Amino acid sequence: MIISQVIIYAWVQRSVSGHFEQMDSEILTHAAFNLRRSINNVDAQTKSAAASKSQSLTSTNHLHSSQRDYDLKTVIANKNGALLSSDPTSFANDLPSDFSLPQLWQVYRDQQFTVEIKNRNYRAIIIEHQALLALIALPIDVHHHYLIHFNRQLSMILFAITLLLVSVTAFSVYWGFAPLATIVQKMKRINPERLDERITVSDMPLELRSLAQSYNSMMVKLESNFESLSRFSDNIAHELRTPIATLSTQTQVMLNKPRDGNEYIEQLHHQHDTLEQLSAMINNMLLLAKTQKGLSESQIGNVNTERLMTKLVDYYEMLAEDREITFEKSGEFVTVVGDEGLLQRLFANLLSNAIYYAASASTITVSATIITSGIGLDGSKEEALAAKQRLLKIVLTNRLDKPLEQSEAEKLFERFYRHDKTSSQHSGTGLGLSIVRAIAHAHKGKVNIAIKDEYYFEVTVELLLA
């Protein structure tokens, strides 16, 4: 704003000065024309009279009365610099002692210039007529005083306008961003008991609605993550409390009275099973924490999914023989980027869960296809992922023993969630599919579950190709 006001000041000041210079130039040009005509008249008179030209010039008014209203001054001299006449006569006395009209003529030949004579400012022009040189000077002190006063007034006006605009802008910014105080107050009130508070987007100005929407979106994620963390804390406390209480109870029972050696051995076997369950749970939790941080450079390599899936399918086929469950593998299993150990754990968990949920005497299909995607694996259309990416899509499909809703299937990714807690076939910790999702995200991939016709369970995994 200050720069714009300085530009306006310079432009106005230059425009006014240029206007005065143009007026002065017109007056001097007209005066020079009249002076030339006066000198021509003197030449005509001297030809018919005996008087000399210098005497005629001395006795002749150089300028018309209309031009003398501008207080014009004239000095006429010959080419040697000798003054012949001046109008008014006293003006010649005001000239400095070193004043030389021929020297000024050499510098300002037919050009207008400014000169200071006896503390007064003049705009002048020198004309040549035959053997004579004439100086015409127009006082411009009035213009100088006017410009000084005008510049002072203009500066004050522009300063006042700048101050007013700054004040209005500051007030507008304060008024326009006042709704930010609402967001600030809600942020100050954030605590675990008040995560459901939201900002009414329609109450915000248009410029801040995107901020309010982002805030609400952040609070939704924060509330969801906090609830998930709370459930995880409750679940882990419950899951750890049960085996520990079992170990404590078994130990107290065995210590109450002496028992046969076989009873001690049997109880040690029970306690060993319980400790293995605790160890598996702790290892799974450590694996979850590890994969949530992503993969390091040393972990990333090329993984042959053909060899990996063949080995896992052969292993789980033997485990599924009792329920007459078979596997059918098809498609192009190619090399992907990732950690082989983690990917083996991912597919092992999927195959284990597929056997658990599959109906007896059914077939579990494992198919692979190569797809191209221009959308980020997390679902966002980022510019960095605008280039087409080649992915390996692996789909596991099996027929369920019991119908399952899509909403219930989504919960299978939650930690410690078990769909059928009464079943004796599956004694896991409820962390299997949570680990699958964490490993997929660590590999910048994704995993989805879909229920087809309530009885067909389909798990899709997408991974980046090498």
Side-chain angles (χ1 to χ4, degrees):
M1 192 174 297
I2 292 175
I3 292 174
S4 65
Q5 297 291 28
V6 169
I7 294 174
I8 292 174
Y9 172 83
W11 177 72
V12 173
Q13 194 268 348
R14 184 172 180 179
S15 298
V16 175
S17 299
H19 174 70
F20 283 130
E21 290 178 4
Q22 183 178 2
M23 290 178 56
D24 296 341
S25 176
E26 292 176 356
I27 294 173
L28 289 175
T29 301
H30 193 57
F33 173 78
N34 289 332
L35 182 59
R36 290 180 187 275
R37 189 171 59 180
S38 298
I39 294 175
N40 289 333
N41 292 336
V42 170
D43 289 342
Q45 293 174 3
T46 52
K47 289 180 181 179
S48 59
S52 66
K53 183 183 295 185
S54 60
Q55 292 175 344
S56 300
L57 287 172
T58 303
S59 60
T60 303
N61 292 326
H62 300 159
L63 302 173
H64 294 169
S65 60
S66 61
Q67 294 169 340
R68 285 196 296 272
D69 292 340
Y70 296 108
D71 198 19
L72 284 168
K73 317 290 186 181
T74 59
V75 174
I76 299 178
N78 58 26
K79 290 295 184 68
N80 296 324
L83 296 180
L84 301 179
S85 67
S86 67
D87 185 13
T89 307
S90 59
F91 182 66
N93 300 326
D94 296 336
L95 298 176
S97 58
D98 58 347
F99 180 80
S100 174
L101 205 55
Q103 291 181 359
L104 289 176
W105 165 252
Q106 294 297 327
V107 178
Y108 304 107
R109 184 185 298 265
D110 292 327
Q111 295 180 4
Q112 296 186 12
F113 60 95
T114 56
V115 63
E116 183 177 349
I117 300 175
K118 202 174 182 179
N119 298 326
R120 293 191 68 183
N121 294 310
Y122 294 87
R123 185 175 305 280
I125 186 174
I126 299 176
I127 61 175
E128 180 185 22
H129 185 76
Q130 296 180 0
L132 301 177
L133 295 175
L135 170 70
I136 304 175
L138 174 67
I140 56 175
D141 287 332
V142 176
H143 295 174
H144 275 273
H145 293 310
Y146 176 82
L147 287 175
I148 292 173
H149 179 73
F150 175 79
N151 290 338
R152 187 183 299 116
Q153 295 293 328
L154 181 62
S155 301
M156 293 177 62
I157 292 172
L158 292 178
F159 177 78
I161 292 175
T162 302
L163 186 62
L164 177 63
L165 291 177
V166 169
S167 301
V168 171
T169 303
F171 178 76
S172 300
V173 170
Y174 173 79
W175 182 264
F177 286 92
L180 284 176
T182 304
I183 301 178
V184 172
Q185 293 301 322
K186 288 192 177 291
M187 286 183 175
K188 290 181 178 179
R189 292 198 299 265
I190 291 178
N191 58 65
E193 289 77 26
R194 305 184 68 172
L195 293 177
D196 58 341
E197 288 193 0
R198 302 291 183 268
I199 296 175
T200 305
V201 178
S202 58
D203 293 343
M204 293 285 117
L206 292 176
E207 295 81 3
L208 296 180
R209 288 184 180 179
S210 59
L211 176 61
Q213 291 172 349
S214 300
Y215 173 83
N216 288 342
S217 176
M218 178 194 69
M219 291 303 299
V220 169
K221 295 178 182 178
L222 184 62
E223 183 181 15
S224 174
N225 292 337
F226 187 82
E227 289 178 355
S228 176
L229 181 61
S230 298
R231 289 195 303 270
F232 175 71
S233 301
D234 295 340
N235 292 334
I236 195 173
H238 174 73
E239 295 292 336
L240 291 175
R241 181 180 61 184
T242 301
I244 291 175
T246 301
L247 287 173
S248 178
T249 303
Q250 291 175 350
T251 303
Q252 289 177 2
V253 169
M254 293 302 295
L255 293 175
N256 281 339
K257 61 179 180 179
R259 298 182 183 274
D260 184 65
N262 291 330
E263 292 186 27
Y264 283 115
I265 293 174
E266 183 180 355
Q267 286 299 323
L268 286 175
H269 281 298
H270 288 311
Q271 291 184 1
H272 180 264
D273 293 339
T274 305
L275 288 173
E276 281 190 341
Q277 182 182 358
L278 276 173
S279 177
M281 184 186 304
I282 292 172
N283 289 334
N284 288 336
M285 291 169 55
L286 290 174
L287 181 60
L288 278 172
K290 178 182 177 181
T291 53
Q292 284 178 346
K293 296 179 181 179
L295 300 179
S296 62
E297 293 291 336
S298 60
Q299 291 179 274
I300 298 176
N302 294 334
V303 180
N304 188 328
T305 58
E306 174 67 31
R307 183 176 64 249
L308 178 64
M309 291 301 299
T310 300
K311 180 176 64 174
L312 290 173
V313 167
D314 292 343
Y315 173 76
Y316 281 100
E317 274 184 339
M318 294 185 295
L319 298 180
E321 282 181 354
D322 294 340
R323 298 177 57 201
E324 299 180 358
I325 297 174
T326 59
F327 284 86
E328 181 180 320
K329 186 165 69 73
S330 63
E332 185 180 1
F333 290 87
V334 295
T335 303
V336 297
V337 177
D339 181 90
E340 185 171 358
L342 291 178
L343 291 178
Q344 179 175 333
R345 181 65 180 273
L346 182 151
F347 292 115
N349 286 0
L350 288 178
L351 293 175
S352 175
N353 278 272
I355 295 173
Y356 170 63
Y357 287 103
S360 299
S362 63
T363 300
I364 299 174
T365 61
V366 183
S367 62
T369 55
I370 297 176
I371 63 173
T372 303
S373 174
I375 301 177
L377 291 175
D378 57 354
S380 61
K381 296 182 179 179
E382 299 178 359
E383 184 177 353
L385 294 173
K388 298 297 183 181
Q389 291 186 330
R390 300 178 71 231
L391 310 173
L392 176 63
K393 180 179 180 181
I394 300 177
V395 181
L396 280 78
T397 307
N398 61 288
R399 183 166 56 85
L400 300 175
D401 189 24
K402 298 178 182 180
L404 185 66
E405 298 291 336
Q406 181 67 37
S407 58
E408 294 177 340
E410 295 293 339
K411 294 180 181 179
L412 295 175
F413 286 119
E414 296 182 6
R415 299 170 182 176
F416 300 112
Y417 179 81
R418 297 184 184 91
H419 174 60
D420 188 3
K421 297 182 180 180
T422 62
S423 175
S424 59
Q425 298 178 6
H426 190 72
S427 58
T429 60
L431 294 174
L433 290 180
S434 296
I435 292 174
V436 168
R437 183 171 61 178
I439 293 175
H441 288 173
H443 286 77
K444 298 182 180 178
K446 64 179 180 179
V447 58
N448 291 316
I449 292 179
I451 303 299
K452 307 291 185 180
D453 299 330
E454 294 186 355
Y455 279 95
Y456 283 90
F457 188 90
E458 183 180 280
V459 180
T460 303
V461 179
E462 294 182 7
L463 299 171
L464 290 172
L465 293 184

